Amino acid sequence: MKRTLNTSFLVLLVVGLLSMAPTKNSNEFAYAAIAFESEIIDYGTVFQNENGEKIFKFKNTGDAPLIISKVKTSCGCTVPKYSKEAIAPGESGELTIQYDTKKLGNFTKTITVMSNAKNGNKILKIKGNVVARK
């Protein structure tokens, strides 16, 4: 009887300890990942003061919500617009870039996208040539 009682106590103790052990959370290994359709946009030749708006399209290829925290550009002539809302896994989003086409000549600018993506910050580029209208 005493042996059965001890065995029962030991089994209950082990079961109790196992139930308190941390279990794998379904989000424990979940992460966001950002994949752009293209990381370079070539404006080609554009006329001075023409609309300089272009769109970078991307998808959250991870399995956790993607949050873009900040977008930095290499100069004030490039203005980004993006959603501050989380992008669900498998969903797509857009980053709109407005380049000021007042200045003539070739340009190459960088845009750094900072997010919670596992693959880190992404550096995008825009390039082109602004010419005067004849």
Side-chain angles (χ1 to χ4, degrees):
M1 177 75 175
K2 187 173 181 181
R3 183 177 174 143
T4 305
L5 189 58
N6 285 340
T7 304
S8 298
F9 177 73
L10 186 59
V11 168
L12 287 174
L13 181 64
V14 169
V15 169
L17 288 175
L18 288 176
S19 68
M20 292 184 350
T23 58
K24 180 182 172 188
N25 183 347
S26 62
N27 291 330
E28 186 175 342
F29 300 108
Y31 60 89
I34 191 167
F36 284 88
E37 284 183 6
S38 174
E39 294 183 15
I40 299 174
I41 290 181
D42 188 349
Y43 280 65
T45 300
V46 295
F47 290 113
Q48 187 176 25
N49 297 317
E50 196 173 82
N51 180 5
E53 186 174 288
K54 298 290 183 183
I55 297 174
F56 284 98
K57 294 182 180 187
F58 62 89
K59 185 174 184 176
N60 178 359
T61 57
D63 48 12
L66 171 70
I67 300 169
I68 296 176
S69 55
K70 189 174 184 180
V71 177
K72 285 177 45 175
T73 60
S74 58
C75 76
C77 59
T78 309
V79 179
K81 285 191 281 185
Y82 59 98
S83 174
K84 309 288 191 278
E85 300 295 319
I87 291 124
E91 296 297 314
S92 298
E94 295 181 344
L95 168 61
T96 303
I97 299 297
Q98 179 69 44
Y99 178 72
D100 187 354
T101 59
K102 283 192 266 186
K103 186 177 176 184
L104 295 174
N106 290 320
F107 66 90
T108 301
K109 305 296 176 189
T110 59
I111 299 105
T112 304
V113 179
M114 291 168 254
S115 70
N116 66 329
K118 181 179 181 182
N119 50 346
N121 295 343
K122 277 291 193 190
I123 298 177
L124 310 173
K125 290 185 182 182
I126 58 170
K127 63 182 183 174
N129 185 30
V130 179
V131 296
R133 281 197 193 271
K134 295 182 181 184

